[in-house]
Amino acid sequence: MSGNRRTATRRAVGLLLATVLLGACSSGEGDEAASADSGAASTTAVAPAPTCEQGATTDDIEVEAVAKPAYDRVITSFDDTKIRVHWFPAPGAADKPAPTVLMGPGWSLAGATQDSDIELFGALSIGSLNDDAYNVLTWDPRGFGKSGGVASVNDPKREGRDVQILLDWVAEQPEAELDATGDPRAGMIGASYGGGIQLTVASIDCRVDALVPNMAWHSLKSSLYPNKIVKEGWAGKLVSIGGDNLDPHITSAAKSGLNGGTLSDEDYQWFLDRGPGDQVSNIGVPTLLLAGTVDTLFALQESVANYESLSAAGTPVHLMWYCGGHGVCLTSDGNTDRVTEATTAWLARYLKDDTSVDLGSPVEVVDQNDQHWLGDDYPTADQPGSGTVTGNSDGSTLKLTADSQSGPLPDGAGKGLLGGLVTTITPYPVAADQAVEAKVTAKGDVLVVGAPKLTMTYSGTTPGEASTHVFAQLVDPETNTVVGNQITPVPVTLDGEEHTAEVDLEIIAQHMLAKSSLTLQVVASTGAYAKPELGGEIDVSSLNVSLPTTTELTEA
């Protein structure tokens, strides 16, 4: 493998592995944040409301120049942690100050430089931003690259405060355009971990003027521990590349999460307390949310939750989906040119006040055929154009054996730079005799957008714990793929009594023509999640699925 290829793969993996393990994230209160970097226990952070107080983070910024490379600096953060930054002023900015774009890296990575910059997922490069007359600041988040401290998963009391100090420093640079003293004209871009930090910072500091978070999460509980079972497939990858400088709560949660698929009560509480979650409603910064339809780490629900929070707060917000994310496109080529164009336009509008740019529709989704659909709002069940397409069956018996497993992908199915990484954790159709199925057939041309609802009446027994999980996925028989590569854990109680489970499946976008169909499959296990104890069986007496449809979105 060539050096360029290794670099591209490494950055791709880092962008994919965007947050840490299974949601345990620590944070401290006030000045106690510094003690956590030395391994002390910490308490849960509650992000304050946005503030524009100038110089609120520090009175004097301690900066150390680096001989090589000349664009590097070492900035001392609030708790004496050394943060390595990389500064790339726009040509001519010394004479005519320019807006600044902060570009955050993926999990485990150092900040991009002109030598390591890779354009993935529609991202802009340092060179292209400089050419468009933006200064660019990148940095090594604490715990990664050449920065000190330990990684705390975008804790507002640590990583958030680090970036506040970086904004203070940018405001002192002669090349930086200012909105006021101490307040630089600044936007933020970045994917995954670099997307999450944007929401963290904007929830505590309103000096940022534009956000473009790509593949960011809303809640570590819903994204990494849905229905109280760990995404074990991602867990090992996240921890293995995270390095040695991780907050001790991360390793604690990993240990308990990977041992049986559940978390301790304490670690689960960290899921509930961490965010950004409700703190997103504090954000008043114009935000372009980007998300991948085949993202198996931060599924589409995360972008929708962020969109709804921002929209309810009255914040200017657009939502754009593309085939990509923490996953592999199996039904289209995942063209991200529209992402690049939308990001460029968003920065021009809100950093350069260019009202002539076309920002596009507030909502743009993409179906399995890479067809784009546009609308003024995200479709919901209470809109006039909403509907459903349903399917049901009388069910059958599901043997809880190793043969009833969704995935891995067959050899050669996961192509491209990211294919090999996610092969073992991407869902795939199982044989009909290894699943309980219900078929959904469209009576007309419909666009499915949203979370299908599963209702299953069942009874069963198991040699293990009565409370366990099975897994549900929608299969497209035309392509022989799982729709959006999404599979959802379904909690079940196998105590011999009859129960009914009602679960919202992961959000999908699927264009169905008249008489086309999808098949709901309920299976025993998957490589994406921790494997329940097998053995026993489930007798399903009724299986129903309802897919939300909309006419509020029109073809681009």
Side-chain angles (χ1 to χ4, degrees):
M1 181 182 291
S2 69
N4 288 340
R5 181 69 171 174
R6 282 193 298 269
T7 300
T9 301
R10 170 66 175 169
R11 292 198 63 78
V13 171
L15 285 170
L16 283 173
L17 305 180
T19 187
V20 67
L21 71 115
L22 314 163
C25 312
S26 63
S27 56
E29 295 290 338
D31 292 336
E32 293 176 358
S35 66
D37 275 355
S38 62
S42 58
T43 56
T44 299
V46 178
T51 175
C52 283
E53 295 180 12
Q54 306 309 316
T57 56
T58 184
D59 294 327
D60 298 302
I61 304 173
E62 183 180 331
V63 182
E64 178 185 346
V66 177
K68 291 183 179 181
Y71 49 72
D72 272 17
R73 310 284 190 278
V74 177
I75 296 178
T76 301
S77 195
F78 67 97
D79 59 354
D80 293 330
T81 296
K82 305 297 184 182
I83 304 297
R84 178 67 68 101
V85 304
H86 321 286
W87 176 239
F88 306 96
D95 298 320
K96 183 180 180 182
T100 300
V101 175
L102 281 70
M103 180 191 300
W107 173 254
S108 83
L109 292 178
T113 67
Q114 290 169 324
D115 295 328
S116 66
D117 206 19
I118 302 293
E119 298 178 50
L120 295 169
F121 312 113
L124 303 180
S125 67
I126 294 170
S128 66
L129 287 165
N130 279 168
D131 290 344
D132 282 345
Y134 296 106
N135 307 315
V136 180
L137 180 72
T138 69
W139 71 101
D140 302 1
R142 62 171 57 211
F144 300 135
K146 295 183 178 179
S147 287
V150 298
S152 301
V153 196
N154 290 341
D155 185 341
K157 294 287 187 176
R158 294 175 182 76
E159 284 89 348
R161 289 179 69 181
D162 291 341
V163 176
Q164 285 187 294
I165 291 174
L166 301 189
L167 288 169
D168 291 344
W169 181 81
V170 168
E172 295 182 351
Q173 305 315 300
E175 300 92 347
E177 179 182 348
L178 303 181
D179 290 327
T181 302
D183 181 1
R185 176 64 62 92
M188 296 185 73
I189 64 174
S192 244
Y193 201 57
I197 189 60
Q198 298 178 50
L199 301 176
T200 295
V201 172
S203 72
I204 62 174
D205 195 317
C206 60
R207 288 179 294 173
V208 182
D209 301 292
L211 301 179
V212 189
N214 190 352
M215 299 185 290
W217 63 93
H218 178 79
S219 165
L220 293 172
K221 168 181 171 281
S222 60
S223 61
L224 301 177
Y225 194 49
N227 295 328
K228 294 190 176 182
I229 185 169
V230 164
K231 283 186 177 176
E232 186 179 88
W234 278 108
K237 299 178 187 298
L238 294 168
V239 176
S240 66
I241 72 162
D244 298 326
N245 299 320
L246 303 179
D247 186 289
H249 293 297
I250 294 171
T251 52
S252 168
K255 191 173 182 179
S256 61
L258 293 175
N259 183 18
T262 61
L263 298 181
S264 67
D265 290 342
E266 182 180 6
D267 287 345
Y268 182 62
Q269 187 60 48
W270 289 332
F271 271 108
L272 298 178
D273 292 342
R274 291 292 296 166
D278 292 343
Q279 300 305 317
V280 172
S281 61
N282 284 346
I283 297 172
V285 179
T287 303
L288 170 61
L289 295 166
L290 305 171
T293 57
V294 295
D295 198 316
T296 56
L297 179 58
F298 301 134
L300 292 174
Q301 172 58 37
E302 302 305 307
S303 68
V304 172
N306 284 327
Y307 172 85
E308 290 176 341
S309 292
L310 291 167
S311 182
T315 299
V317 58
H318 280 203
L319 175 67
M320 175 178 280
W321 293 350
Y322 61 94
C323 188
H326 302 86
V328 59
C329 294
L330 299 175
T331 58
S332 75
D333 61 3
N335 190 316
T336 55
D337 288 348
R338 293 175 79 102
V339 171
T340 304
E341 294 164 1
T343 302
T344 300
W346 199 261
L347 295 178
R349 171 63 184 88
Y350 291 109
L351 295 187
K352 295 181 177 178
D353 296 325
D354 184 353
T355 58
S356 69
V357 299
D358 181 7
L359 295 180
S361 296
V363 171
E364 179 169 342
V365 308
V366 61
D367 65 23
Q368 77 277 15
N369 299 315
D370 207 31
Q371 174 62 49
H372 294 249
W373 301 78
L374 311 178
D376 293 329
D377 199 2
Y378 180 76
T380 56
D382 57 357
Q383 291 178 346
S386 65
T388 59
V389 55
T390 61
N392 60 79
S393 76
D394 293 336
S396 60
T397 298
L398 176 65
K399 301 287 187 180
L400 302 179
T401 69
D403 291 332
S404 178
Q405 174 171 310
S406 172
L409 295 178
D411 291 343
K415 298 178 181 179
L417 187 61
L418 309 179
L421 179 71
V422 299
T423 294
T424 60
I425 62 177
T426 300
Y428 197 73
V430 305
D433 62 354
Q434 298 297 337
V436 176
E437 296 186 338
K439 187 176 181 179
V440 183
T441 301
K443 296 180 179 179
D445 187 331
V446 294
L447 178 65
V448 177
V449 176
K453 181 177 289 293
L454 172 149
T455 303
M456 181 175 73
T457 301
Y458 68 93
S459 62
T461 58
T462 175
E465 294 290 333
S467 296
T468 184
H469 292 81
V470 291
F471 302 88
Q473 61 188 19
L474 284 162
V475 172
D476 184 346
E478 182 177 342
T479 59
N480 195 37
T481 59
V482 173
V483 177
N485 298 348
Q486 300 300 324
I487 190 165
T488 305
V490 179
V492 292
T493 301
L494 304 182
D495 58 1
E497 302 296 323
E498 184 175 87
H499 301 275
T500 297
E502 294 185 356
V503 174
D504 287 339
L505 305 185
E506 295 287 4
I507 290 175
I508 60 171
Q510 182 86 0
H511 184 203
M512 300 182 69
L513 302 177
K515 298 184 179 180
S516 66
S517 66
L518 298 176
T519 301
L520 174 70
Q521 290 190 327
V522 177
V523 300
S525 66
T526 171
Y529 283 89
K531 183 174 292 187
E533 185 175 352
L534 299 177
E537 62 183 28
I538 297 180
D539 292 318
V540 177
S541 58
S542 175
L543 181 63
N544 299 274
V545 63
S546 176
L547 281 58
T549 66
T550 183
T551 60
E552 295 297 301
L553 303 180
T554 58
E555 290 187 58

